[in-house]
Amino acid sequence: MKKFFLYSAGFVAAIIALCLLAPVVALLISGALLAAGLHYYTESTSTFGKVMSLVVAFVGLVSAISNIPGFIGLVAIGIIFYIYKSRKNEKVEIFTSNKEEDPFMNFEREWANLNK
């Protein structure tokens, strides 16, 4: 029964994600406008260039904030990703901190081996 609900939730999320594909693309374009405006703001040396790049960034920000269906589409895509990972019995970890792969822990271990 659990798999049935999991697959039905995945099916509903897939339909929602497909229906809201255009707003997600519009959200991507808005984010690109915002990023480009902020990038050119930091690179510009003239006052006019800074003002115009801030206007572009502001337009991208307002467009991204007002795009609520795009955010719903992103949530649906996230749900599909979570269901896909849980179907394969993989643990979904967004922020991981593996101590064996940490370069500083590896350095400490190697330093301890050198001092022996």
Side-chain angles (χ1 to χ4, degrees), residues 12-116:
V12 170
I15 289 175
I16 291 172
L18 285 176
C19 290
L20 297 176
L21 194 59
V24 170
V25 171
L27 185 64
L28 178 69
I29 293 170
S30 299
L33 275 175
L34 177 64
L38 292 176
H39 171 74
Y40 287 118
Y41 175 76
T42 58
E43 297 295 321
S44 179
T45 57
S46 67
T47 305
F48 180 73
K50 287 187 182 265
V51 169
M52 292 312 292
S53 59
L54 279 179
V55 168
V56 169
F58 182 71
V59 167
L61 179 68
V62 169
S63 176
I65 289 174
S66 66
N67 195 357
I68 294 173
F71 289 114
I72 294 171
L74 284 180
V75 169
I77 292 171
I79 290 171
I80 292 170
F81 178 74
Y82 178 77
I83 291 172
Y84 175 74
K85 289 293 187 178
S86 67
R87 183 183 64 88
K88 294 178 72 176
N89 292 330
E90 296 178 6
K91 188 174 181 183
V92 178
E93 296 179 6
I94 297 173
F95 299 107
T96 60
S97 174
N98 194 353
K99 291 183 180 179
E100 293 179 8
E101 295 179 9
D102 188 17
F104 297 109
M105 294 300 291
N106 190 22
F107 174 77
E108 294 293 332
R109 184 175 52 244
E110 293 296 324
W111 186 258
N113 288 338
L114 286 174
N115 286 335
K116 286 185 182 179

